[in-house]
Amino acid sequence: MENSLKGLMLAAGIIITCIIISLGFYIAREASDTASSGTGQINEMQAEFENTSKTMYDNTEVSGSEVINVIRKFSDETIGIRVQTKKNTSFYNYQIDEGDGSIKALSTVDYKSAQVITNSNYINPTGRFLGSVIRDANGTITGLSFVQQ
């Protein structure tokens, strides 16, 4: 009787230990899934934050001097800036295919020519421009477009 009682106590101890270990693995797996989900959300927020400097011009009216500042600001990035004045349409930094948003050749026009009043690429600093964002098929921002109002 004494041996059978010890055997039952041993079996109960083993069962309780197995339950505790199973619960530990379950909690660890749930924590891992939660951490992965949180990491994904942080990555999405980081991508949005990185694009904020460009998306702030989407459907926004800005002055010509702000357009020149944008061209200067993004001159070191792989992004095309299309400026359509009442006289001319010019691409700065890179040329962009507006149909699919893909980046084409490096533009030969620089922002300095946009400040010379006799140049065909002149951007009137007091002019009003409506900005928009150009994206490629992957949804990546490849350019900005400014159209004079």
Side-chain angles (χ1 to χ4, degrees), residues 17 49 63 76 85 106 125:
T17 302
F49 182 71
S63 68
D76 293 336
T85 63
L106 190 64

Side-chain angles (χ1 to χ4, degrees), residues 41-60:
Q41 289 175 348
I42 288 172
N43 289 339
E44 287 176 20
M45 289 174 57
Q46 180 183 3
E48 287 178 25
F49 182 71
E50 288 175 0
N51 287 332
T52 302
S53 63
K54 297 172 188 107
T55 57
M56 66 186 263
Y57 298 106
D58 198 21
N59 292 321
T60 303

Side-chain angles (χ1 to χ4, degrees), residues 2-141:
E2 213 175 277
N3 287 339
S4 63
L5 185 59
K6 284 184 182 181
L8 286 175
M9 292 288 281
L10 183 62
I14 290 173
I15 291 173
I16 290 172
T17 302
C18 288
I19 290 173
I20 290 173
I21 290 173
S22 296
L23 283 173
F25 280 120
Y26 174 76
I27 290 170
R29 186 174 44 244
E30 289 296 316
S32 174
D33 291 345
T34 302
S36 294
S37 171
T39 302
Q41 289 175 348
I42 288 172
N43 289 339
E44 287 176 20
M45 289 174 57
Q46 180 183 3
E48 287 178 25
F49 182 71
E50 288 175 0
N51 287 332
T52 302
S53 63
K54 297 172 188 107
T55 57
M56 66 186 263
Y57 298 106
D58 198 21
N59 292 321
T60 303
E61 190 173 299
V62 295
S63 68
S65 61
E66 179 66 19
V67 172
I68 293 170
N69 287 335
V70 168
I71 295 167
R72 189 178 306 130
K73 176 181 174 182
F74 295 119
S75 64
D76 293 336
E77 295 188 29
T78 307
I79 185 171
I81 300 172
R82 176 186 174 271
V83 179
Q84 180 180 344
T85 63
K86 301 210 182 221
K87 245 184 180 182
N88 192 13
T89 300
S90 302
F91 287 93
Y92 296 87
N93 299 343
Y94 288 88
Q95 295 177 3
I96 305 168
D97 182 343
E98 295 178 64
D100 63 4
S102 62
I103 295 177
K104 300 295 180 190
L106 190 64
S107 177
T108 57
V109 182
D110 67 342
Y111 70 90
K112 292 176 185 174
S113 67
Q115 297 172 316
V116 178
I117 198 165
T118 57
N119 194 306
S120 64
N121 298 320
Y122 176 69
I123 297 173
N124 183 352
T126 59
R128 304 304 300 164
F129 292 82
L130 182 63
S132 62
V133 174
I134 300 171
R135 297 178 187 267
D136 66 5
N138 289 331
T140 304
I141 296 176

